[in-house]
Amino acid sequence: MPFTFKLSKRLALMKASLVPAAAAVLAACQLQDRRGTTGPTLPSNSVVQVVIVPDTVTLEPSQALQFLAYGRTEAGDSTAITMTWSATDGAISSGGLYTASPFQGDYQVTATLLQTSASAAAGTSAPQGVPGHSVVHVRSNPGLAQVVVVPRSASVGTGATQQFSGYGLRTNGDSVAVSVLWSATGGAISSSGLYTAGSAPGGYVVRASAVGITGQAILAVNNASVASVVVSPASANMSVGGTTQLSATPKDAAGNVLAGRLVTWTSSSSAIATVSAGGLVSGAAVGSATITATSEGQSASATITVATVPVAAVAMSPATAAVLVGATVQFTATLLDAAGNVLSGRSVTWASTGPAVATVSSTGLVTGVAPGAVTITATSEGQTGSAAVIVNPVPVASVSVSPVSAGIEVGQPVQFTATPLDANGTPLSGRSITWASSAPAVAAVSTGGLVTGVAAGTATITATSEGQGGSAAITVTVPASTSPGTVTDLAVAGVTETSVTLSFTELDDGTGAPANYDVRTAVGSTLTWWLANGALNKNGTCASPMAGTAIGTKRACTVVGLVAGTTYSFELVAFRGTLGVNAVFGGLSNIATATTSPSTAPVAAVAVSPTAASVAVGQTVQLAATLKDAGGNVLTGRTVAWASGSTGVATVSGSGLVTGVAAGTATITATSEGQSGTATVTVGSPSAANECATPTPGWIWCDDFEQDRLSRYTFWDHPESFQRVAGVGVGGSYGMRARFAAGQVQAGSLWMAMGRTPMSGWNKADAGTANYREMYWRMYLRTQPGWLGGSFYKLMRATVFATANWAQAAIAHVWGDPAATNTLQLDPARGTDAAGNVLTTSYNDGAHFTWLGTAYGRTPLFDASHVGQWYCIEAHVKLNDAGQSNGVFEYWINGALETQKTGLNWLGAFSAYGINTVMFENYNNYGSPVAQDRYIDNIVVSTQRVGC
């Protein structure tokens, strides 16, 4: 209710009475003037009094009040005046707005006349300084005297409600709002004053308290009975299996809500809809049912219509998941109708597209079986939802090497085994293992862990898998039965331009038989090739047999195929018994040195290799010139002059290094002693930023990263390290940045699938129906300036996946050599036997690979003089025909052939699948030595040569 104060009422009444009275006086004066009659002398219009409204008032400290003032003439007329305001305390504006003093007391407000409006209009002066006064009494707020409860009395039924409110009265009678604390008997009352009667009739009290003062109201609670029941909603539609909540409100005869009354619920047809004690209705079958709520004999009902709402969508949660082999992840399928409402009570069928990779239970629990990717589906009433699951192998936590130590003799082997273990110490199978020896000159280790003694000493044999390593100690001794003999009279018997004849005396092997011999040769002090028992191992040929068979007789070996004008060192080592493994060059005495005679034959031909090359603007390609005499012998030590036929297209250095200048074709010529050879170099602009917009015939997949195509790959691994970034690609375009932290092994990979694969659910670059027997793939690679750590091993490879378990029938690796060489190498592997049976059982099943031999490149991409530049790297694989060894593996850098392997038997007779995955990888077996970046750009996978 509104509260008004007495002071406000008084001021309002004064203003209301003042205005009409003043108006009446003025009107009378104006009427008399208009008559124009003459009579006795009238009083003047001079202001003789200033009236202030109000003339007395009581205010609270600092309270504001607007004062008014007018003038009264000698004739008693009211007139507007101009005055100034002043006050003995407090503050008053020029317009008469007064703010009381903050201190109690009696004060005076004064309005002083300046000039009447009448005299101002007539241009005459009027008496000045006529004052008017008002008295202001400043008093503190009156104290609170009473708390009033409204209404003062009320009557309600049991369980009904009544709203109460309260306010205060001051000692001066003014109403004031107060904050009250409520209490009541016979029921409950809220903090806002809402009283709810209990179940017992009687007389009760409601109390409101504020600052120690309490007011109260009397409440009569009658034994009111339920007169009606309201059910809400009155009707509802629902689906089979769905639920709807109804509510029932009992009321008395006056319409008051009755609380605490018992309500019972019933259904006219429980076969169609059931109802709980709380009014929750559940749809059981299609049809219509009446739901009734009853309280104290009064009832109301709602009509429920139950229909079959079809499943319109199935939502899967989570949408994607990764799980380790042997681990589980729970999926949930939520069924929705067309409006997005959740449906319950429906049957759901779960399925996995690759049970060999991951299985799913009837409740949606997915279990990882083998590494791979699958799709998990949930189907209900013809609608399906799906989620992607990647099953990762359990990471290797440690590697156990057995035996932990061993001792062998020179030439003897010992087999070591390595067992990768998970964090719980459980052995893991199907993992790739890399073997290494800390001292290969003492003990050499094969890719399968077979250690062979080379020379006396100790070494540590290390097995590494997924960045985790284990080691064993090996001690190599030289037994008396195989100790090298001493050759005391090794000499050079004859030297020509391309051959050297060695002579020595036959020794006794200790058993009365001639000894075996090992002939080694080196340029300078670096071992380049050797001859074992007179048989060629690498370069050169021992043309004559080691003449002489009797102990003590002279024997000879003529080493041919040497380069004219070159100094060689030769070592002859005699062994007692069967020759084992060669000792390290320089470890024994009896070394003979010879320099082949320089050839004086004139240059008859110059061959430039490669004969054709491609290079991008700003990039380089190395050409080489081979000089031969009329007999086809290679000549050395001759001067070669290099020239470019079009320096505006390409320039060439004195060593044959060609640099692309502008797009076009240039002929590069090498000349020596009047003979010349040429090569054609094609210079192209750096690969266009939007190269993929104009694909070339044969292209299966292209990604210049100018568009975000990352979702198209089968796998995009470690996206936190391997990211698409603007400005890092060729020519400042978009590219992929692999960011290695110090010690990081894996910095991401991209896998693109194509053709027929045994795995379902993989993203593919094509229709997925081809068996590709030949494939080219290209990428641009750049390491940051100052790059450390060499090639980092894994770079790119093509794979023939043969089973749903990710078994590989063949792998074409283009990856790094150890950091010492800074080059790339080809390392092909076969996963089948000759009949085409797949021997591998899982991904990277190294134990069942047949390695087909390594071929090394020539360009040290990762040394200090090559890092920081873009290189175009293209690889080519041609699979063998069934049962034949006619496969090819090769790669080019900047259009120049680096290395090649031919005559490969990639697959045996296997032909079920062709090349179906190409991978671009950033992996360092031992971890990056420092934090650093490398970049890739302009990926193309094609059935035809791509080029740069």
Side-chain angles (χ1 to χ4, degrees), residues 200 243 384 523 699 759 796 837 922 945:
T243 60
T384 299
V523 177
W699 286 13
M759 283 76 73
M796 60 183 186
N837 299 308
N922 297 286
R945 179 73 190 274

Side-chain angles (χ1 to χ4, degrees), residues 165-185:
S165 62
Y167 66 94
L169 288 178
R170 289 179 172 165
T171 55
N172 64 355
D174 290 343
S175 301
V176 64
V178 293
S179 177
V180 300
L181 181 65
W182 294 97
S183 62
T185 61

